[in-house]
Amino acid sequence: MARAAPQIDAYGGGGFRLNGARHDGSLLILDDQARPWPVAALNTLAPEHLADVLAAPRGAVEFLLLGAGPRNSPPPRAVREAFQAARMGLEIMDTPAAIRLYNLLTADGRRLACALIAV
């Protein structure tokens, strides 16, 4: 039986609440599992921070939804180029908007990865 994608109940104070449990710091959600993610600011993001997403089997992840922090801003060029090379979609928005979209898309059964910089 497939695992259900975690739902993000709240955010702020440098972390998130998923399915009622508090997670401090930034998060990466892949294969319906949330894990700590060591990125605290968009300008420090590098392709190696997303290596597990980029290495996902074709079709396992439709795209990466990237919550860029308190304001929407493009990620570093190397990250954009890595996703182009992998032929994987990359959607970028501020973290609050990314959380809302993530919850909607996963409730609809979409298969995506989500990287969220804590606010």
Side-chain angles (χ1 to χ4, degrees):
M1 180 178 213
R3 179 189 317 249
Q7 291 298 291
I8 303 170
D9 304 321
Y11 66 93
F16 304 89
R17 189 174 67 223
L18 279 73
N19 297 336
R22 172 78 180 174
H23 295 267
D24 289 321
S26 297
L27 283 179
L28 176 64
I29 303 172
L30 180 62
D31 296 328
D32 295 334
Q33 294 181 339
R35 57 182 102 162
W37 191 50
V39 178
L42 188 62
N43 64 349
T44 65
L45 181 61
E48 53 267 19
H49 293 123
L50 297 164
D52 290 345
V53 175
L54 291 164
R58 199 136 193 67
V61 174
E62 294 178 44
F63 63 94
L64 172 71
L65 179 58
L66 175 61
R71 287 177 299 287
N72 189 7
S73 179
R77 176 182 300 240
V79 172
R80 295 189 312 265
E81 289 173 351
F83 275 82
Q84 286 177 332
R87 294 188 172 157
M88 185 179 289
L90 175 62
E91 296 294 327
I92 306 131
M93 56 194 66
D94 62 68
T95 294
I99 290 168
R100 289 188 297 273
L101 184 57
Y102 167 83
N103 282 336
L104 285 171
L105 292 175
T106 57
D108 203 31
R110 301 284 298 271
R111 300 291 305 162
L112 64 132
C114 186
L116 299 168
I117 295 174
V119 293

